[in-house]
Amino acid sequence: MKKNTIKNIGTSDFVNMGPIRLRQPLPTRQIDMIDPFVLLHHYGPYEISETHNPFDLGPHPHRGFEPVTFLVQGEQLHRDSLGNESVVKAGDVQWTTAGRGIIHAEKPTNEFVKKGGIIEGIQLWLNLPASKKMISANYQHEKHEDFHKVISEDKKVVTKVIAGTLDNKHGRIVTQTPVNAFMIDAKSGGTENISFPDTHQGLLYLLKGKVRINENEMLELDGPQLIQFNQDGEGFTLKAEADSLMLFLSGAPFNEPVATYGPYVMNTQTEIMEAMRDYQMGKMGFLPVN
Ligand code: MN
């Protein structure tokens, strides 16, 4: 396997999103976007209790991309303007295709808040190409136990294939564009090779632990946490130096202009203005606060 060389090594610094403090590995001052990936938020781990519940996102719209949540710990209630209401558990993935418009809301379930516990997850904004920005909205929720897994030779690394393909195992998520999304859970000392097409841009984000990439670069919490690969190989190797959790993403870039504002990702400023107007006119649907 010809290894991909490393284009950028990024940190995952804290930002404030309203009252919520979370890590934002993408975009950063160094890395603007990794086409087709626009934004990555790593929220938590937060201690949630009845007196402290900082992660309650009321109804808000999206257009022009796919907001994806990888829930790592806890339990969230999802509601949206398509009429979906589902409880998302640790390890589950919710893949929303906002398309022309959706309104959704996210919060820890009432039961979970009452009991107390830890909430942690990743929110990804995956862009849609111009030709698909105005398709109908869609919501996919896949449960953690249903994903196909690839086990390393040393049995220490389990890779969940969420979307795309790895070693002839296929993801359960239906994607709009060529995309891989793998959650990699590695025990200390475990090694694995992850391959992906040379037509994709790839990135690896570390949520927990310490990992060596291509026998060279080290990722660790409170240090470099994200690697962007060059499009010049067939994959990479990893070796866990501690029990570690990683998200690998790759996708074929669109090479289109990107205009983002608030919850919208479009190609032009005019389309952003249209999105704001359409939301106000109720064209993205309705979702009651509750
Ligand atoms: Mn949202």
Side-chain angles (χ1 to χ4, degrees):
M1 180 177 82
K2 183 180 185 294
K3 287 179 196 168
N4 293 74
T5 59
I6 288 164
K7 182 172 186 180
N8 275 306
I9 300 183
T11 53
S12 183
D13 297 329
F14 286 100
V15 298
N16 291 309
M17 197 180 77
I20 303 170
R21 187 165 182 265
L22 42 71
R23 289 179 185 266
Q24 182 173 301
L26 188 72
T28 64
R29 246 169 288 168
Q30 294 82 27
I31 307 174
D32 183 31
M33 78 176 272
I34 301 176
D35 189 6
F37 307 105
V38 177
L39 172 143
L40 259 187
H41 277 159
H42 178 189
Y43 58 93
Y46 304 122
E47 275 277 2
I48 302 280
S49 69
E50 283 181 295
T51 53
H52 183 70
N53 182 8
F55 196 70
D56 186 341
L57 300 176
H60 61 276
H62 291 296
R63 172 179 280 182
F65 69 102
E66 298 187 283
V68 179
T69 300
F70 306 86
L71 190 62
V72 176
Q73 300 189 70
E75 194 177 279
Q76 285 178 195
L77 177 69
H78 164 95
R79 296 187 302 123
D80 67 42
S81 52
L82 301 175
N84 295 300
E85 185 164 328
S86 64
V87 173
V88 182
K89 303 209 167 175
D92 292 4
V93 173
Q94 43 184 164
W95 198 287
T96 303
T97 305
R100 63 170 58 242
I102 192 168
I103 298 173
H104 68 178
E106 229 84 64
K107 63 175 184 181
T109 62
N110 291 339
E111 270 174 32
F112 187 81
V113 173
K114 209 169 278 177
K115 198 173 54 179
I118 308 283
I119 286 268
E120 182 181 13
I122 297 268
Q123 164 107 172
L124 162 71
W125 287 16
L126 167 59
N127 204 3
L128 282 168
S131 60
K132 291 195 165 181
K133 284 192 180 294
M134 295 296 273
I135 61 175
S136 301
N138 185 42
Y139 175 71
Q140 301 175 74
H141 172 194
E142 290 292 339
K143 299 200 164 116
H144 60 105
E145 64 268 26
D146 294 334
F147 290 114
H148 300 128
K149 296 182 178 82
V150 174
I151 316 280
S152 63
E153 269 173 46
D154 62 16
K155 309 266 191 285
K156 288 183 173 176
V157 184
V158 177
T159 301
K160 256 191 328 199
V161 184
I162 292 160
T165 305
L166 180 67
D167 296 354
N168 293 315
K169 301 262 170 93
H170 302 284
R172 294 182 60 84
I173 297 289
V174 177
T175 66
Q176 295 296 328
T177 55
V179 168
N180 287 319
F182 310 146
M183 192 62 85
I184 307 168
D185 196 338
K187 291 262 174 294
S188 184
T191 61
E192 181 61 298
N193 304 315
I194 302 290
S195 59
F196 64 101
D198 61 5
T199 49
H200 285 199
Q201 294 221 72
L203 72 91
L204 183 73
Y205 179 71
L206 179 81
L207 289 91
K208 190 190 92 174
K210 199 172 176 182
V211 191
R212 198 173 284 283
I213 304 304
N214 290 346
E215 286 150 26
N216 209 351
E217 304 299 337
M218 187 80 94
L219 295 183
E220 56 191 315
L221 292 185
D222 301 318
Q225 264 180 278
L226 181 140
I227 274 181
Q228 176 185 11
F229 295 99
N230 281 307
Q231 271 182 263
D232 60 356
E234 298 160 337
F236 63 95
T237 62
L238 64 89
K239 179 170 194 283
E241 304 277 352
D243 291 353
S244 302
L245 186 65
M246 292 148 272
L247 177 66
F248 172 76
L249 297 169
S250 77
F254 308 150
N255 299 308
E256 292 178 354
V258 175
T260 61
Y261 184 78
Y264 310 119
V265 183
M266 305 303 292
N267 297 109
T268 68
Q269 282 304 322
T270 305
E271 290 166 349
I272 293 284
M273 300 302 283
E274 284 166 1
M276 293 165 74
R277 188 195 59 203
D278 285 356
Y279 170 58
Q280 275 161 5
M281 288 172 71
K283 287 188 180 174
M284 295 189 189
F286 298 93
L287 183 67
V289 178
N290 82 348

